[in-house]
DNA sequence: TTGTACGCGTTATCAT
DNA sequence: ATGATAACGCGTACAA
């Protein structure tokens, strides 16, 4: 075994006795070559263990990137943790894959600056986040999912606030007057919280945002309904209610948001606000793939799905 | 707005009135520069909208890749579909992220050949698959998860066959004699099937591999137990049994494999063979990150988790 | 502390 | 059909 310098086009060229250009053509422009010669070259390459032009060099020279980058809110592994994110990413991945591109999951700000990609997708990032700044600095085609809204960049999202109002109004219509709100601090969560409050305040209903739901449910004038900013939170609330000895929906109504698959399987099945996560991902994927810098904004519809976790207050 | 040539180090150098090297140093070797000058350079860069050295060029020149590649069985979007894969990938992602690397999801054979990565992870690929060949050709550090076993490459997996035997023996011990096997065609699925058969044949029990479980359950001497190659299949079987009017575990016992989170939530909770998916991912991640070409093989333990989907036959 | 010079491995152009 | 040559944008000895 020779410790052998790394193999390059030139190595093969020398071995076969042709020029570097010809070897390059053997890989990239088969029509520029006598088929027989091409065969000889490829055979020699295989024999020497050369697997083709170096990807890094090829990218520098050609300007092609053949990959799109993905930035998520809560770190990279979040992609595989959160069912809602999973559905979105599935939509993106399908489209990207069909286009023959790779998907680069970017870990942090430095990763953004260093990513060899043709476009970047920002998923639910807080406005002003370092990653957003970095992405903007890259001057690449950007596609924003959900947040933040960026002038002159493609966008796909939903009307979170309206969805939240739908949920709240459903419970109000059932006769609920005392609510617990369960929302996080992300941009979309804030929108949803705002929607809940709008509807609730308009109806003059009472609401709180408990630090500890279990505690709130133990209170004397406990809430009769929970408005959750996501199905995951709603599912957790379901558990909390069960632990507290409350029967859903008889003692407590719960509404989620997203309509992840698990929402339909839970017992009782979750009433929730559906958003077309898969479709959202597909659209994001198309936006990422299309060379068109054309500014486009897509806002997808939301829809209340009434299942079994909501009822009139006892 | 000038249509401006793409910005390079030289652009900034010219603007500030220093050499290209100095600008490069401002980014890569701060100690080689007067802090004041560095500030001026960075300011000018920011002003001009230059976001730093071109990632592709930097990679070619430096030889650093700062990303690891991931190859999955069933296409890219599979990563976000399958809960078992999700858990594994979560483990990988965490480790990769901690190392400051990006994660490249590679779509196909061409993607493998073209991936700008420092190492590749093959997850449960069939032996001889084009992607495996391509990965081998790249001559990069390879880490195999589950399958296939490759000489001279890092490996992490479990003893699928033993896990399957555990499941089968559990049911045999309960007194079952007629079984339905539900396995796929992937390499790991085949191993598990083999494990089921070994135990069953050794006990002289009867088994079938029905194309249609519903049909099999309708038969006169229907199986009293189902051995599934994954929790997903087991969960589907649960549904099928319910639709057939069978009560699990009274009328039918079902065992899964993997112990995904959903296995504990189902009704009834699933008896299954647990494998440490998260840990498997973390180890794969470490193997991918470590520069060490040292060959390593890790086989993680499996364990039977008895919950509520199995009982003595009626 | 700064600048000069030389690749890194490839692809595109243009000549032969 | 094949080959010489010039970029691509950058990193880093080494000299100044």
């Amino acid at each position: 075994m020779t410790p052998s310098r790394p193999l390059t086009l030139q190595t093969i060229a020398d071995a076969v006795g042709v020029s570097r250009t010809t070897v390059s053509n053997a890989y990239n422009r088969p029509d520029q070559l006598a088929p027989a010669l091409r065969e000889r070259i490829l055979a020699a390459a295989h024999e020497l263990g050369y697997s083709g032009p170096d990807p890094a060099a090829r990218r520098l020279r050609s300007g092609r990137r053949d990959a799109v980058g993905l930035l998520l809110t809560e770190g990279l592994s979040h992609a595989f943790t959160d069912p809602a994110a999973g559905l979105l990413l599935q939509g993106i991945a399908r489209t990207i894959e069909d286009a023959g591109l790779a998907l680069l999951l970017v870990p942090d700000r430095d990763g953004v600056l260093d990513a060899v990609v043709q476009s970047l997708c920002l998923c639910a990032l807080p406005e002003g986040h370092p990653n957003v700044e970095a992405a903007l600095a890259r001057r690449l085609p950007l596609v924003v999912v959900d947040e933040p809204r960026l002038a002159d960049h493609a966008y796909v999202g939903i009307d979170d606030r309206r969805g939240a109002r739908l949920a709240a109004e459903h419970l109000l219509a059932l006769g609920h007057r005392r609510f617990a709100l369960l929302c996080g601090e992300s941009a979309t969560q804030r929108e949803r919280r705002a929607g809940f409050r709008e509807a609730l305040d308009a109806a003059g209903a009472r609401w709180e945002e408990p630090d500890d739901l279990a505690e709130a449910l133990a209170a004397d004038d406990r809430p009769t309904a929970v408005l959750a900013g996501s199905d995951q939170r709603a599912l957790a609330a379901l558990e909390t209610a069960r632990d507290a000895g409350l029967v859903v929906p008889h003692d407590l109504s719960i509404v989620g948001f997203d309509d992840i698959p698990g929402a339909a399987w839970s017992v009782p099945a979750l009433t929730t606000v559906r958003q077309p996560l898969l479709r959202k991902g597909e659209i994001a994927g198309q936006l990422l793939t299309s060379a068109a810098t054309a500014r486009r904004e897509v806002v997808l519809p939301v829809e209340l799905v009434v299942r079994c976790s909501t009822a009139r207050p006892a």
Side-chain angles (χ1 to χ4, degrees), chain A:
Chain A
M1 250 338 193
T2 15
S4 68
R5 281 174 39 87
L7 294 80
T8 78
L9 285 180
Q10 190 65 61
T11 318
I12 313 303
D14 293 347
V16 181
V18 295
S19 88
R20 207 179 56 224
T21 303
T22 301
V23 180
S24 172
N25 283 337
Y27 284 99
N28 302 316
R29 313 167 67 167
D31 53 318
Q32 301 294 304
L33 230 70
L37 177 55
R38 185 174 127 94
E39 279 318 311
R40 252 176 65 217
I41 291 175
L42 262 27
H46 186 81
E47 183 133 356
L48 295 173
Y50 178 73
S51 58
D54 179 286
R58 186 212 279 273
R59 277 182 170 69
L60 172 59
R61 180 59 240 209
S62 71
R64 299 190 54 183
R65 294 298 175 256
D66 293 332
V68 308
L70 212 55
L71 270 75
L72 304 165
T73 334
E74 322 225 12
L76 211 154
S77 66
H78 180 63
F80 310 104
T81 302
D82 177 8
L87 233 40
L88 173 76
L89 294 178
Q90 196 182 327
I92 296 182
R94 280 213 296 241
T95 317
I96 297 304
E97 184 170 30
D98 288 349
L101 302 177
L103 196 58
L104 186 76
L105 269 40
V106 172
D108 53 18
R109 186 181 162 283
D110 282 357
V112 177
L113 261 15
D114 251 24
V116 184
V117 295
Q118 65 188 46
S119 56
L120 280 168
C121 186
L122 313 185
C123 294
L125 259 44
E127 193 159 2
H129 188 287
N131 285 2
V132 177
E133 300 303 325
L136 251 9
R138 281 298 301 274
R139 314 222 144 171
L140 290 171
L142 250 43
V143 176
V144 175
V145 174
D146 289 333
E147 296 285 342
R149 297 258 181 169
L150 261 25
D152 302 321
H153 289 287
Y155 175 88
V156 51
I158 59 170
D159 191 339
D160 284 291
R161 199 177 286 229
R162 176 164 173 279
R165 278 201 309 267
L166 289 178
E169 284 159 6
H170 166 64
L171 289 172
L172 286 166
L174 286 172
H176 292 273
R177 306 298 295 168
R178 295 197 307 279
F179 296 83
L181 269 45
L182 263 31
C183 294
E185 286 312 318
S186 74
T188 54
Q189 286 293 312
R190 267 199 274 268
E191 277 299 298
R192 294 175 188 182
R193 171 188 292 113
F196 291 149
R197 290 185 184 177
E198 269 178 34
L200 262 25
D201 288 342
R206 225 177 71 196
W207 56 263
E208 58 179 319
E209 290 201 76
D211 289 331
D212 179 351
L213 180 60
E215 201 168 297
L217 293 181
D220 233 26
D221 56 344
R222 64 169 181 78
T224 63
V226 172
L227 283 162
S230 69
D231 286 344
Q232 292 230 282
R233 291 170 211 278
L235 259 15
L238 212 54
E239 197 102 7
T240 305
R242 194 186 345 264
D243 291 347
L246 297 177
V247 174
V248 176
H250 180 266
D251 304 321
L252 184 73
S253 285
I254 300 181
V255 181
F257 204 120
D258 290 334
D259 197 25
I260 60 175
W265 306 335
S266 72
V267 186
L270 209 57
T271 293
T272 190
V273 179
R274 170 183 301 158
Q275 65 159 317
L277 284 164
L278 216 54
R279 176 121 191 75
K280 197 161 77 171
E282 287 169 355
I283 292 175
Q286 286 160 11
L287 258 20
L288 284 164
T289 309
S290 82
T293 317
R295 169 178 172 177
R296 279 165 67 187
E297 310 233 339
V298 183
V299 176
L300 266 12
V302 293
E303 166 196 12
L304 182 73
V305 180
V306 178
R307 290 200 269 252
C308 312
S309 65
T310 50
R312 328 188 71 84

